[in-house]
mmCIF file of all heavy atoms in Angstrom:
data_model
loop_
_atom_site.group_PDB
_atom_site.id
_atom_site.type_symbol
_atom_site.label_atom_id
_atom_site.label_comp_id
_atom_site.label_asym_id
_atom_site.label_seq_id
_atom_site.Cartn_x
_atom_site.Cartn_y
_atom_site.Cartn_z
ATOM 1 N N GLY A 75 -14.511 26.368 -9.626
ATOM 2 C CA GLY A 75 -15.154 27.046 -8.510
ATOM 3 C C GLY A 75 -14.273 27.234 -7.295
ATOM 4 O O GLY A 75 -14.656 27.947 -6.363
ATOM 5 N N VAL A 76 -13.111 26.623 -7.281
ATOM 6 C CA VAL A 76 -12.184 26.773 -6.144
ATOM 7 C C VAL A 76 -11.391 28.061 -6.332
ATOM 8 O O VAL A 76 -10.866 28.318 -7.432
ATOM 9 C CB VAL A 76 -11.248 25.555 -6.043
ATOM 10 C CG1 VAL A 76 -10.195 25.767 -4.958
ATOM 11 C CG2 VAL A 76 -12.060 24.296 -5.750
ATOM 12 N N PRO A 77 -11.288 28.888 -5.298
ATOM 13 C CA PRO A 77 -10.579 30.172 -5.443
ATOM 14 C C PRO A 77 -9.132 29.999 -5.890
ATOM 15 O O PRO A 77 -8.463 29.026 -5.509
ATOM 16 C CB PRO A 77 -10.644 30.762 -4.033
ATOM 17 C CG PRO A 77 -11.832 30.122 -3.400
ATOM 18 C CD PRO A 77 -11.890 28.739 -3.961
ATOM 19 N N SER A 78 -8.659 30.952 -6.652
ATOM 20 C CA SER A 78 -7.320 30.863 -7.235
ATOM 21 C C SER A 78 -6.205 31.039 -6.205
ATOM 22 O O SER A 78 -5.032 30.840 -6.537
ATOM 23 C CB SER A 78 -7.165 31.902 -8.344
ATOM 24 O OG SER A 78 -7.375 33.198 -7.816
ATOM 25 N N ARG A 79 -6.540 31.389 -4.962
ATOM 26 C CA ARG A 79 -5.495 31.463 -3.936
ATOM 27 C C ARG A 79 -4.979 30.076 -3.558
ATOM 28 O O ARG A 79 -3.940 29.942 -2.934
ATOM 29 C CB ARG A 79 -5.992 32.198 -2.686
ATOM 30 C CG ARG A 79 -7.153 31.538 -1.975
ATOM 31 C CD ARG A 79 -7.590 32.365 -0.753
ATOM 32 N NE ARG A 79 -8.719 31.767 -0.053
ATOM 33 C CZ ARG A 79 -9.986 31.983 -0.369
ATOM 34 N NH1 ARG A 79 -10.284 32.797 -1.376
ATOM 35 N NH2 ARG A 79 -10.963 31.395 0.322
ATOM 36 N N PHE A 80 -5.727 29.030 -3.948
ATOM 37 C CA PHE A 80 -5.277 27.664 -3.742
ATOM 38 C C PHE A 80 -4.462 27.217 -4.952
ATOM 39 O O PHE A 80 -4.849 27.464 -6.105
ATOM 40 C CB PHE A 80 -6.461 26.706 -3.571
ATOM 41 C CG PHE A 80 -7.210 26.873 -2.279
ATOM 42 C CD1 PHE A 80 -8.287 27.741 -2.200
ATOM 43 C CD2 PHE A 80 -6.836 26.173 -1.144
ATOM 44 C CE1 PHE A 80 -8.978 27.902 -1.011
ATOM 45 C CE2 PHE A 80 -7.526 26.331 0.051
ATOM 46 C CZ PHE A 80 -8.597 27.203 0.120
ATOM 47 N N SER A 81 -3.346 26.554 -4.693
ATOM 48 C CA SER A 81 -2.579 25.974 -5.777
ATOM 49 C C SER A 81 -1.887 24.709 -5.292
ATOM 50 O O SER A 81 -1.630 24.544 -4.093
ATOM 51 C CB SER A 81 -1.550 26.972 -6.325
ATOM 52 O OG SER A 81 -0.594 27.283 -5.327
ATOM 53 N N GLY A 82 -1.595 23.832 -6.238
ATOM 54 C CA GLY A 82 -0.902 22.600 -5.915
ATOM 55 C C GLY A 82 0.261 22.378 -6.849
ATOM 56 O O GLY A 82 0.263 22.861 -7.989
ATOM 57 N N SER A 83 1.256 21.664 -6.361
ATOM 58 C CA SER A 83 2.410 21.363 -7.192
ATOM 59 C C SER A 83 3.017 20.040 -6.752
ATOM 60 O O SER A 83 2.659 19.492 -5.704
ATOM 61 C CB SER A 83 3.443 22.483 -7.109
ATOM 62 O OG SER A 83 3.981 22.561 -5.800
ATOM 63 N N GLY A 84 3.951 19.558 -7.571
ATOM 64 C CA GLY A 84 4.686 18.353 -7.232
ATOM 65 C C GLY A 84 4.400 17.191 -8.154
ATOM 66 O O GLY A 84 3.449 17.218 -8.936
ATOM 67 N N SER A 85 5.254 16.193 -8.049
ATOM 68 C CA SER A 85 5.070 14.935 -8.778
ATOM 69 C C SER A 85 6.013 13.912 -8.165
ATOM 70 O O SER A 85 6.965 14.280 -7.458
ATOM 71 C CB SER A 85 5.334 15.097 -10.275
ATOM 72 O OG SER A 85 6.691 15.370 -10.501
ATOM 73 N N GLY A 86 5.730 12.663 -8.434
ATOM 74 C CA GLY A 86 6.581 11.612 -7.883
ATOM 75 C C GLY A 86 6.212 11.292 -6.450
ATOM 76 O O GLY A 86 5.212 10.609 -6.205
#
Side-chain angles (χ1 to χ4, degrees):
Chain A
V76 174
S78 59
R79 62 181 179 273
F80 290 91
S81 64
S83 66
S85 67

